[in-house]
């Protein structure tokens, strides 16, 4: 049986959210990322039935240490969708965060929907992608299955949202050839981005394939639960132990249940001599000054930097 599934629809508007320059002009009140979340949920509800995820109860009312910061956490599951969760954080006159992701059941090998924005009065750091479950430089069949038909989207958004420049090199493996990775300055405000992608998913029955899907998803969760760039700020906002809870049981829920491999099993480069995990964010450092995929989604990055 084939069903259509909207991975999500995106509508982000940055106009009005930032005031440019002027010595730390504030973020205008309003919740632009809440608007995105509502939109994405509405779009998803048109296609499927969302059920609250058990993690929502515990995390829906996180109170940060500081009164000026507001957290908003929502999580759901649905047929085909193991976990769809969203976290927005807003600190008045300081920053706004959107971290929205959807993970399929392991019976499907759907990419992971990922919308991630960190905005300060000076700039916005944006990652919008269908993160591949399988590294597309290695798994050509996976690349063709999900990305070939949507490669033209890259041309469409590339001009408006140019490549953000050098990036932590490890991240590249989790990105797809259509990734929108961009940083824009507040002077570039008032841009509207609309992105709507639709995927067709067919349930997998092969046990070995399901197990493989599950392991790849677990690998992704393991990476982000350990190395996500947002983690340090999250610790500052709600303290180390609550941040860890949020990361393990909400943002990357499944990291403790979908698999038993450890971070070092997946990413042995991070092993220190005493067997602990290297705390560095990146072992390779930042690279990829320009978009490392061509118009057909072929990887053209520097092999050195992989
Ligand atoms: C910065 N977030 C970044 C950067 C990326 C991402 C690429 C730029 C720095 C870098 O090159 O690493 C996002 N990286 C991703 C995503 C993937 C990835 C989505 O590999 C997926 C595979 N961000 C959050 C949350 C917070 C947050 C919850 O999602 C804070 C509460 C903050 N992101 C945040 C901050 C920075 C950032 C503060 C800038 C600081 C820095 O670069 O270290």
């Amino acid at each position: 049986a084939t069903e259509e599934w909207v991975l999500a629809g995106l509508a982000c508007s940055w106009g009005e959210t930032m005031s440019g320059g002027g010595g730390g002009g504030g973020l205008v009140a309003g919740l632009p990322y809440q608007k995105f979340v509502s939109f994405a949920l509405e779009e998803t509800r048109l296609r499927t039935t969302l059920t609250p995820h058990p993690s929502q109860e515990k995390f829906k009312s996180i109170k940060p240490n500081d009164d000026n910061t507001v957290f908003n956490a929502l999580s759901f599951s649905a047929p085909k969708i193991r976990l769809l969760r969203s976290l927005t954080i807003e600190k008045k006159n300081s920053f706004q965060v959107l971290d929205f992701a959807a993970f399929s059941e392991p019976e499907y090998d759907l990419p992971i929907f990922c919308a991630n924005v960190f905005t300060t009065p000076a700039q916005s750091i944006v990652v919008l992608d269908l993160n591949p479950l399988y590294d597309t430089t290695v798994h050509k069949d996976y690349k063709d299955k999900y990305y070939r038909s949507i490669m033209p989207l890259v041309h469409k958004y590339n001009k408006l949202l140019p490549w953000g420049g050098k990036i932590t090199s490890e991240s590249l493996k989790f990105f797809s050839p259509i990734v929108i990775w961009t940083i824009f300055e507040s002077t570039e405000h008032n841009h509207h981005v609309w992105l709507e992608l639709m995927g067709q998913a067919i349930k997998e029955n092969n046990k070995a394939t399901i197990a493989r899907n599950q392991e790849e998803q677990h690998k992704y969760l393991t990476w982000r639960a350990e190395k996500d760039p947002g983690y340090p700020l999250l610790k500052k906002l709600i303290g180390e132990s609550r941040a860890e809870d949020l990361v393990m049981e909400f943002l990357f829920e499944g990291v403790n249940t979908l698999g038993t491999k450890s971070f070092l099993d997946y990413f042995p480069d991070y092993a220190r001599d005493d067997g602990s995990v290297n705390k560095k964010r990146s072992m390779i450092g930042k690279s990829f000054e320009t978009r490392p995929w061509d118009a057909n989604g072929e990887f053209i990055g520097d092999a050195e930097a992989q």
Side-chain angles (χ1 to χ4, degrees):
T2 311
E3 283 172 65
E4 282 184 342
W5 184 53
V6 164
L7 285 160
L10 268 191
C12 295
S13 93
W14 282 273
E16 311 298 320
T17 64
M18 289 166 280
S19 71
L27 297 166
V28 173
L31 294 163
Y33 300 137
Q34 280 309 110
K35 238 156 89 186
F36 160 76
V37 172
S38 312
F39 176 81
L41 292 178
E42 264 167 47
E43 287 292 299
T44 310
R45 282 198 177 99
L46 292 176
R47 311 290 177 131
T48 188
T49 308
L50 294 175
T51 314
H53 187 276
S55 66
Q56 182 164 301
E57 209 36 54
K58 176 168 173 187
F59 293 101
K60 73 177 180 214
S61 49
I62 304 168
K63 298 269 174 298
N65 304 329
D66 126 41
D67 293 342
N68 292 321
T69 309
V70 179
F71 275 62
N72 226 301
L74 286 172
S75 61
F76 302 92
S77 57
K80 296 186 179 185
I81 308 175
R82 187 183 71 78
L83 173 67
L84 181 155
R85 95 295 185 275
S86 140
L87 175 69
T88 58
I89 309 173
E90 181 173 20
K91 181 173 168 146
K92 251 206 211 135
N93 302 323
S94 177
F95 65 85
Q96 293 172 344
V97 175
L98 167 71
D99 184 352
F100 187 102
F103 305 90
S104 69
E105 295 283 2
E107 283 80 4
Y108 304 89
D109 66 357
L110 284 168
I112 295 152
F113 183 84
C114 166
N116 196 271
V117 190
F118 177 73
T119 300
T120 64
Q123 63 174 22
S124 287
I125 299 176
V126 181
V127 176
L128 298 178
D129 195 19
L130 304 183
N131 292 151
L133 205 54
Y134 296 93
D135 183 341
T136 56
T137 60
V138 181
H139 301 270
K140 302 287 178 208
D141 51 337
Y142 189 82
K143 192 185 100 184
D144 286 348
K145 180 174 179 183
Y146 285 114
Y147 302 102
R148 191 151 63 161
S149 64
I150 56 175
M151 278 313 295
L153 285 175
V154 172
H155 316 300
K156 207 167 152 189
Y157 297 106
N158 227 353
K159 267 227 180 83
L160 192 61
L161 302 168
W163 186 253
K166 286 193 178 176
I167 182 163
T168 303
S169 304
E170 283 88 343
S171 291
L172 254 281
K173 286 205 189 0
F174 298 103
F175 288 0
S176 85
I178 60 150
V179 68
I180 293 172
W181 147 243
T182 197
I183 296 183
F184 45 81
E185 312 299 322
S186 57
T187 50
E188 293 179 64
H189 62 159
N190 233 4
H191 287 164
H192 288 70
V193 181
W194 272 87
L195 176 63
E196 201 181 290
L197 295 172
M198 206 183 291
Q200 290 203 322
I202 298 164
K203 187 169 183 168
E204 179 61 58
N205 289 312
N206 183 298
K207 286 244 166 59
T209 310
I210 296 171
R212 208 166 62 120
N213 289 343
Q214 181 160 329
E215 178 167 315
E216 289 300 315
Q217 187 175 136
H218 185 246
K219 179 180 177 183
Y220 178 94
L221 295 168
T222 302
W223 171 262
R224 292 201 59 190
E226 180 79 31
K227 295 295 180 189
D228 205 73
Y231 210 165
L233 178 56
L234 219 43
K235 284 181 187 162
K236 228 169 81 181
L237 292 171
I238 57 175
E240 183 140 5
S241 86
R242 284 202 299 163
E244 191 175 317
D245 270 4
L246 184 66
V247 162
M248 299 291 181
E249 297 172 33
F250 183 82
L251 290 177
F252 307 113
E253 194 277 333
V255 68
N256 289 327
T257 53
L258 289 190
T260 52
K261 284 194 182 174
S262 69
F263 183 84
L264 290 177
D265 290 333
Y266 291 124
F267 309 102
D269 294 353
Y270 283 82
R272 287 195 297 212
D273 290 342
D274 65 357
S276 61
V277 174
N278 197 314
K279 293 288 172 227
K280 275 193 193 168
R281 259 270 301 287
S282 165
M283 300 304 289
I284 314 176
K286 296 204 181 199
S287 57
F288 306 108
E289 187 108 48
T290 55
R291 188 177 192 86
W293 291 276
D294 71 11
N296 297 315
E298 286 299 316
F299 192 72
I300 50 168
D302 179 0
E304 295 282 293
Q306 294 178 57

